Amino acid sequence: RAGGLAGSGVGNGIWELASKMVDSQYVLPNDVGLALLDCSEAFHLLLRGERLYAHYLSRACWYGGLVVLLQTSPEAPAIYVLLSRLFRTQDPDQLGEFAHSAGLTDQEYQAFLVYAAGVFSNMGNYKSFGDTKFVPNLPKDKLRQLIWQSQAFQERPEEMESLWDRCGELMFSLDPHQRQLGLREKGTTTYFSGNCCLEDAQLAQKFLDSQNISAYNTRLFKEKDKAGQTCYEVRLASVLGTDAPVDHELAPKLRCFEFEGCTFRVTRGDYAPLLERVVENLQLTKAHAANTNQEQMLEHYIRSFTQGSIAAHKEGSRCWIRDKGPIVESYIGFIESYRDPYGSRGEFEGFVAVVNKAMSAKFARLVESAEQLLLELPWPRTFEKDTFLTPDFTSLDVLTFAGSGIPAGINIPNYDDIRQTEGFKNVSLGNVLSVAYATQKDKLTFLAEEDKDLYIKWKGPSFEVQVGLHELLGHGSGKLFVQEEKGTCNFDREAVINPETGELIQSWYQGSETWDSKFSTSASSYEECRAECVGLYLCLNKDVLRIFELEGEDAEDVIYINWLNMVRAGLLGLEFYTPETSTWRQAHMQARFVILRVLLEAGEGLVSLQHTTGADGKPDALITLNRNKILPVGKPAIERFLRRLQVRGGAGLQGATVTDEGPERFLSLRDTVLLRKEARKMFVQANTHLEGEDVTLVQYEGTAAGLIRSFSERFPEDAELLERHLLELSDADTHFWASQG
């Protein structure tokens, strides 16, 4: 049929629409939202010692954030260096004056600025949320012409040409395996060498578990030795190399092992020159610590990054948990495993933030109610931790968030053993929430007109409630049943009954197994799904809403908008599904899609999705949620599903399959979502500078040029040295990605 249409105007129009739709996934639009992450009020309330503490910690975070370039794609470091040199030599406005003579239109130069801002914001050329590649939205020859006419090129022509040769082709390439992050033919990753597949990742995880080595700060490289035997290098991130003095904990692990017919060689020294800068600044931070918990925390972090020790990072995390209610809050290290295609290796992340006292008071009241609220969750008491470990829960204004992206809330540390027995902290990032979820009415997709004003009014307050419940009682609830290597269990094997079967539970974690190692690729999606369901379920509780100063009709509206937002998020989540590989690229969005399916399957007119045609004549969709059915139909559906998630583990994500079967026809809806999607906002962050014995805050305008300037001024003393380090580190491993074969 497509052949019959090819010669007609209608056929060509459909083809043009489809090709534009596909391409739009891989470019950032010129009108992408950019917002200043304002923290000036909170920063200026700090005492001088607190400002110095925040400054040096921020420096440590920003240096460490550069590691993400090396964790993303082979070309990301060279792209970063190319852009850094361009804009350190010429301000965006100055370079713009050259753009016209290079043949660029205003729109094309703006597209280049947006691309550069995207690379800096995502710390690489793949979106932090969704893991798809983005490419410059202008012709390659025009960008080359601009670079050749730039001041940076005039000053160092050979170096700039070499940089272009290294990354120019890959910057624009949309070969199928380069369109998203993944293993082998499914995508690009630098957590593994290009010849690693899922079976290699599984074998490596078995090896790591056998030696009680955490995958969080590792990468895996596979080669053949002279005899043709498969050899794997497990490389730990550290300042010190393998030949340097080793502490007693790592000494037995840094060597060669024979495992299942293969050789595993454990080395260290990954990202060494960048982590050296991290450690230097953590040392300087120590002088301004507010208490011994902070001092000890920093000591352990320093040892962790110097030696490559996750055990030391865990000790630092324990000190961090004990540091209750600090004015300046932070966390730093190899943290979230979302972007590892196997789901075990942590991306570097570091944040520094200042407490927002008014919102923190509400979260403190939620914590006070937590033990009572846990009893309302739909699983037996035996499936909950023996004692609730009262966490810190604060609302923070972010000063610095280095890494690939900024979340709205965080529940950390991610170490199962610490979370289960010693506790965790929750943070809600207030200045992120206030700008990230502000929505213009004309950009609100897939909602009925009568819902839009209500949605705009209550989206922020409802999301505060959802984030609070998601982080504290979603991620903070539930017991992991563990049998230690000595045979002792943290549960009674003769008494714990599975409420789904009425029989004794049949499976549990063994020894060094962790949540991530057990569920690997589905671990993050499963846990996000559980946490989101807890938020939906408990937001129906009027006592919870009173904590957030919501009563009467306001409380009812917040419930409705919270549930409506989850349904809409489930539909928007289709953007993050890749039909070609039948994979999801974002854990939260997979979770929200599964919840949408659960609510649709509940029936009785609770939720409906309609294919429609928009006022522009293009495909559209309409979501309806019957607010009168939330309690009688929605609550029991979420209750059943939540119990199943808690009791049966990963089996709960079977609803993540996306087909074009009726009545919803989700694959067709995915095309509509792509056609009408709004790009995710980017944040322009401040810099701090030492002036004498105090610290000043420098903020920038909320534009692409402002974001670029913030990075151009981020490393004033050693930008050139850092660029050289990035290229050398990238060069050393180039051969691992020279071929995907």
Side-chain angles (χ1 to χ4, degrees):
R1 194 169 58 220
L5 280 171
S8 71
V10 173
N12 288 336
I14 291 171
W15 167 249
E16 285 167 16
L17 174 62
S19 64
K20 283 178 184 172
M21 244 171 16
V22 171
D23 289 347
S24 73
Q25 293 180 73
Y26 305 109
V27 295
L28 302 173
N30 278 12
D31 63 351
V32 64
L34 283 125
L36 169 67
L37 206 54
D38 187 3
C39 60
S40 55
E41 184 180 344
F43 184 81
H44 290 130
L45 290 173
L46 296 177
L47 302 175
R48 187 177 71 88
E50 293 164 345
R51 289 195 292 272
L52 286 162
Y53 182 80
H55 167 73
Y56 286 118
L57 257 181
S58 292
R59 301 310 301 152
C61 293
W62 286 124
Y63 282 115
L66 296 173
V67 165
V68 177
L69 293 161
L70 296 153
Q71 293 182 301
T72 300
S73 69
E75 67 274 14
I79 295 173
Y80 174 91
V81 173
L82 177 70
L83 296 173
S84 178
R85 291 201 179 163
L86 276 175
F87 292 113
R88 278 197 301 109
T89 311
Q90 286 173 286
D91 178 88
D93 290 345
Q94 295 172 327
L95 186 61
E97 293 171 11
F98 285 66
H100 289 289
S101 57
L104 276 71
T105 64
D106 289 343
Q107 290 77 16
E108 287 167 340
Y109 184 62
Q110 177 63 18
F112 174 57
L113 292 182
V114 165
Y115 176 78
V119 170
F120 292 140
S121 181
N122 292 276
M123 266 294 106
N125 56 332
Y126 285 75
K127 295 176 187 174
S128 65
F129 199 87
D131 295 343
T132 46
K133 188 174 188 176
F134 57 94
V135 301
N137 194 16
L138 70 160
K140 182 164 61 174
D141 60 334
K142 287 195 173 186
L143 178 53
R144 183 184 182 279
Q145 186 68 20
L146 174 63
I147 292 167
W148 256 246
Q149 293 202 15
S150 69
Q151 188 66 37
F153 192 92
Q154 304 312 312
E155 292 177 7
R156 298 183 180 182
E158 290 181 6
E159 287 185 24
M160 293 298 286
E161 187 167 357
S162 172
L163 280 169
W164 177 258
D165 289 343
R166 290 173 64 139
C167 67
E169 200 67 40
L170 282 168
M171 191 190 296
F172 282 86
S173 173
L174 284 173
D175 285 351
H177 79 274
Q178 291 168 349
R179 292 176 188 170
Q180 67 183 58
L181 299 179
L183 279 166
R184 277 296 273 278
E185 68 282 351
K186 291 194 172 183
T188 290
T189 181
T190 47
Y191 284 108
F192 298 84
S193 54
N195 55 358
C196 283
C197 59
L198 183 60
E199 288 72 22
D200 295 301
Q202 291 168 334
L203 177 64
Q205 190 62 59
K206 284 176 68 179
F207 163 73
L208 292 170
D209 287 344
S210 75
Q211 297 301 320
N212 200 22
I213 298 172
S214 170
Y216 271 118
N217 65 341
T218 70
R219 292 197 288 170
L220 186 73
F221 302 96
K222 173 184 171 183
E223 292 186 288
K224 299 279 187 184
D225 66 13
K226 292 176 182 175
Q229 185 182 17
T230 300
C231 300
Y232 295 96
E233 179 193 0
V234 175
R235 192 189 302 166
L236 279 59
S238 66
V239 176
L240 297 178
T242 307
D243 298 331
V246 183
D247 69 8
H248 68 280
E249 178 232 332
L250 284 171
K253 297 174 181 176
L254 291 175
R255 61 184 181 86
C256 284
F257 300 82
E258 293 300 315
F259 185 80
E260 296 198 4
C262 300
T263 300
F264 279 84
R265 184 166 56 96
V266 183
T267 67
R268 65 178 181 175
D270 217 0
Y271 325 119
L274 301 178
L275 291 178
E276 191 172 355
R277 294 290 190 289
V278 174
V279 166
E280 286 170 1
N281 281 278
L282 292 177
Q283 293 279 16
L284 292 166
T285 307
K286 270 173 56 185
H288 307 287
N291 53 54
T292 53
N293 278 324
Q294 289 182 0
E295 289 172 11
Q296 291 171 1
M297 171 189 79
L298 294 166
E299 279 288 352
H300 290 305
Y301 288 165
I302 288 165
R303 180 173 156 252
S304 174
F305 300 138
T306 302
Q307 294 281 349
S309 167
I310 289 296
H313 195 268
K314 290 170 83 167
E315 286 303 316
S317 299
R318 290 184 170 100
C319 296
W320 178 71
I321 292 167
R322 291 195 290 269
D323 184 29
K324 299 284 188 184
I327 300 299
V328 178
E329 185 61 281
S330 68
Y331 198 62
I332 186 170
F334 295 88
I335 313 298
E336 302 292 356
S337 57
Y338 298 123
R339 298 182 95 198
D340 168 14
Y342 190 67
S344 294
R345 287 150 192 82
E347 185 174 67
F348 195 95
E349 176 181 291
F351 77 83
V352 181
V354 183
V355 171
N356 176 321
K357 291 182 179 175
M359 182 52 73
S360 294
K362 294 179 185 177
F363 288 136
R365 292 198 293 274
L366 187 64
V367 171
E368 288 170 11
S369 306
E371 286 189 81
Q372 195 59 41
L373 291 170
L374 282 171
L375 297 175
E376 299 201 13
L377 293 175
W379 50 75
R381 189 70 189 86
T382 50
F383 279 74
E384 199 49 73
K385 298 184 186 78
D386 298 334
T387 54
F388 180 69
L389 303 160
T390 305
D392 240 12
F393 198 165
T394 47
S395 178
L396 307 172
D397 284 346
V398 171
L399 167 65
T400 293
F401 206 113
S404 66
I406 310 179
I410 316 171
N411 175 287
I412 37 182
N414 287 332
Y415 304 119
D416 296 336
D417 49 347
I418 295 178
R419 295 170 63 82
Q420 289 286 311
T421 59
E422 295 170 67
F424 50 89
K425 281 187 183 181
N426 301 275
V427 297
S428 173
L429 304 179
N431 58 344
V432 175
L433 276 169
S434 65
V435 294
Y437 298 100
T439 311
Q440 294 172 288
K441 189 172 180 179
D442 61 347
K443 291 191 175 183
L444 255 186
T445 51
F446 312 131
L447 294 182
E449 283 301 315
E450 59 268 23
D451 281 333
K452 289 184 178 180
D453 288 330
L454 202 64
Y455 185 92
I456 288 168
K457 180 179 180 181
W458 293 112
K459 170 74 186 293
S462 75
F463 207 72
E464 282 173 353
V465 174
Q466 180 69 12
V467 167
L469 294 170
H470 173 114
E471 301 296 349
L472 175 66
L473 296 159
H475 291 314
S477 65
K479 181 172 184 171
L480 294 183
F481 298 126
V482 178
Q483 183 175 20
E484 302 294 347
E485 290 172 0
K486 295 175 184 175
T488 56
C489 297
N490 69 343
F491 63 101
D492 186 345
R493 290 174 59 172
E494 303 303 317
V496 179
I497 301 294
N498 180 336
E500 297 272 296
T501 64
E503 299 173 356
L504 292 172
I505 63 167
Q506 302 292 314
S507 60
W508 43 82
Y509 293 82
Q510 302 281 352
S512 62
E513 287 180 335
T514 66
W515 178 264
D516 284 333
S517 70
K518 189 83 169 171
F519 286 111
S520 66
T521 53
S522 64
S524 295
S525 300
Y526 165 81
E527 177 58 12
E528 295 305 333
C529 196
R530 198 176 69 92
E532 291 284 47
C533 285
V534 168
L536 279 186
Y537 188 71
L538 289 179
C539 83
L540 300 170
N541 184 304
K542 296 300 167 59
D543 291 334
V544 167
L545 296 171
R546 273 191 284 273
I547 288 170
F548 289 88
E549 299 170 2
L550 297 162
E551 297 197 61
E553 190 178 336
D554 289 354
E556 296 298 331
D557 285 345
V558 162
I559 291 171
Y560 175 60
I561 294 305
N562 196 35
W563 278 62
L564 181 64
N565 185 52
M566 186 64 70
V567 172
R568 181 173 182 262
L571 177 61
L572 297 179
L574 286 167
E575 176 191 343
F576 301 92
Y577 178 77
T578 304
E580 294 80 4
T581 56
S582 301
T583 55
W584 284 88
R585 306 186 310 274
Q586 217 294 322
H588 298 79
M589 298 315 258
Q590 180 180 357
R592 290 160 187 163
F593 176 74
V594 171
I595 293 168
L596 168 61
R597 294 287 300 268
V598 168
L599 296 177
L600 282 165
E601 288 166 14
E604 298 187 47
L606 172 67
V607 172
S608 71
L609 278 179
Q610 291 175 263
H611 291 257
T612 63
T613 301
D616 55 5
K618 296 175 183 177
D620 209 336
L622 178 65
I623 295 163
T624 52
L625 168 69
N626 186 331
R627 64 190 295 166
N628 297 318
K629 298 285 181 76
I630 291 174
L631 274 176
V633 181
K635 183 180 180 182
I638 290 296
E639 181 174 317
R640 288 189 298 271
F641 181 57
L642 189 49
R643 183 185 302 116
R644 196 168 90 215
L645 284 172
Q646 179 62 27
V647 173
R648 290 172 55 192
L653 289 183
Q654 291 164 344
T657 309
V658 180
T659 70
D660 216 34
E661 295 174 7
E664 287 85 13
R665 294 174 40 236
F666 284 117
L667 280 178
S668 297
L669 279 172
R670 179 179 179 273
D671 291 340
T672 304
V673 168
L674 289 174
L675 178 70
R676 298 190 177 277
K677 74 186 179 82
E678 183 181 0
R680 196 170 174 83
K681 281 192 179 80
M682 292 191 278
F683 298 109
V684 182
Q685 297 188 57
N687 282 321
T688 55
H689 291 309
L690 278 179
E691 283 197 7
E693 296 183 357
D694 207 343
V695 181
T696 58
L697 183 76
V698 182
Q699 295 200 138
Y700 302 85
E701 62 181 12
T703 63
L707 198 156
I708 291 165
R709 287 187 188 101
S710 73
F711 269 88
S712 298
E713 297 177 13
R714 193 142 282 155
F715 306 104
E717 308 90 4
D718 52 4
E720 197 162 323
L721 180 61
L722 288 171
E723 291 165 7
R724 191 159 73 244
H725 286 325
L726 282 167
L727 294 177
E728 288 168 353
L729 289 166
S730 179
D731 282 346
D733 293 323
T734 298
H735 63 287
F736 286 120
W737 297 286
S739 168
Q740 290 290 94

